[in-house]
Amino acid sequence: MLKVMEPEAFLFFYAKRPETQRNLELSRIFALEDEFDSAERVYFGKEAERTENREENAKRMYELAVGKPAKEYSRRVSYSFAASLIQLLPEAKCLQALKRLGHVETKKEEEHAILRLRLAKNWAASYAPDEFRIRLLSLPESAANFAKLDKAQQEALKEFAACLLSSEESEAVQAEKVRKLCAEKNVPALEFYSAAYSVLVGKPRGPRLFSLIAALGQKEIASRLAGKLTHS
C-alpha cells in the first residue's frame, strides 16, 4: 500500500473511523489523498471547513495520522495532477514543470512532490481506472485524430492553437478565449474540449486542458491542436 500512498495518508484513512473495519478502494486512492491534503490545509489554517465541528474533526484526524505535525505548512501537489503529469513526462521534467507553475517553491515541497510523483506513477500503472491512464499522442497520431473532426471543431482548435503560439497567457485568459471561440464557431464547449482531448491524449476526457498546456508548454500542445505533423 505504501507504494501508492504516503504513510500519513494511509493512517488518515483509518483515523477517519477507527472503530469501523473499512475497505480501501485502490482505484480511488486519489480521492483519499485529496481528503488528507484538505485536512492538512485545515490544520494549518490554509482552508476553512464548513462548520466548526467539521474543522475540529479534520484537525484531530490529521494529528492522529501524522503523529507530530510539522511546525510550518508545506504544499502538496494534487495526487490526480501528479498522476497525469508523471504519465506524460519524465520525473525530472515533471519537477521542472511544477516549479515553473509555482506548485513547488521550498525544499520540503520538492520532497513532497518527488514522493507523490513516484507514488502516483505506481498507482497509475497498477490501479488507476482506464480514464486516468493517459499518454500524449505522437504528432502523426494527433494529426490522424484531428482529421476525423468536423470542420467547425478543426477551425476552433486551429484558432486556439494560433492564440497559444502568439502569446503567453494565464489559464483564465485561455479559458475566456475558448469560450469566445466556441460562441463564434457555434461549437458547444463540451464538444471543443472533447475534440481537444481526442487530439492530445486520444480520449474524450483528460486532465484539465489549461493545466496540461502550462505543464507541457504552449508550443507542444499547439502543434497537436492544429493537426500538424511537425512543430511550428
Side-chain angles (χ1 to χ4, degrees), residues 24-225:
L24 189 59
E25 193 174 346
L26 295 176
S27 64
R28 292 188 55 79
I29 290 292
F30 65 92
L32 175 61
E33 291 275 4
D34 287 347
E35 283 187 58
F36 171 75
D37 291 352
S38 177
E40 187 168 57
R41 290 191 295 270
V42 168
Y43 182 85
F44 285 99
K46 303 297 181 179
E47 181 180 307
E49 273 287 7
R50 284 175 289 180
T51 67
E52 185 176 336
N53 187 53
R54 287 171 64 95
E55 184 168 316
E56 288 305 312
N57 283 339
K59 289 179 178 179
R60 177 181 56 79
M61 290 186 294
Y62 178 75
E63 286 181 332
L64 287 171
V66 301
K68 185 178 180 181
K71 292 182 179 178
E72 295 182 351
Y73 173 70
S74 296
R75 292 174 301 171
R76 296 180 194 256
V77 178
S78 158
Y79 194 94
S80 297
F81 187 45
S84 297
L85 207 55
I86 197 63
Q87 293 179 80
L88 301 172
L89 294 170
E91 183 182 296
K93 287 192 175 182
C94 285
L95 196 57
Q96 289 173 5
L98 291 170
K99 288 180 178 179
R100 187 175 69 251
L101 296 171
H103 292 291
V104 173
E105 294 179 341
T106 68
K107 184 66 178 175
K108 190 64 178 177
E109 288 176 353
E110 182 174 332
E111 291 173 4
H112 281 326
I114 291 172
L115 177 58
R116 184 154 286 188
L117 285 167
R118 292 173 181 175
L119 295 171
K121 183 177 182 179
N122 293 337
W123 174 77
S126 300
Y127 304 112
D130 183 63
E131 62 265 27
F132 280 89
R133 297 188 181 190
I134 59 169
R135 68 180 180 87
L136 184 66
L137 298 185
S138 66
L139 287 170
E141 288 174 318
S142 289
N145 283 359
F146 181 86
K148 298 174 185 176
L149 303 175
D150 65 38
K151 187 175 180 180
Q153 292 171 337
Q154 289 179 345
E155 289 181 356
L157 290 185
K158 278 184 176 180
E159 286 198 29
F160 183 58
C163 291
L164 292 179
L165 291 174
S166 66
S167 61
E168 293 279 340
E169 305 283 10
S170 68
E171 291 188 18
V173 172
Q174 290 174 2
E176 180 61 17
K177 285 185 175 179
V178 166
R179 188 190 67 77
K180 289 181 178 178
L181 267 175
C182 287
E184 290 170 7
K185 302 296 180 183
N186 197 29
V187 174
L190 287 177
E191 235 180 68
F192 174 91
Y193 288 111
S194 180
Y197 289 127
S198 74
V199 301
L200 293 175
V201 298
K203 295 185 176 185
R205 291 180 294 277
R208 189 168 185 273
L209 178 61
F210 308 112
S211 297
L212 204 58
I213 294 168
L216 299 183
Q218 296 189 181
K219 184 176 180 180
E220 190 74 38
I221 298 298
S223 297
R224 288 169 171 78
L225 291 181

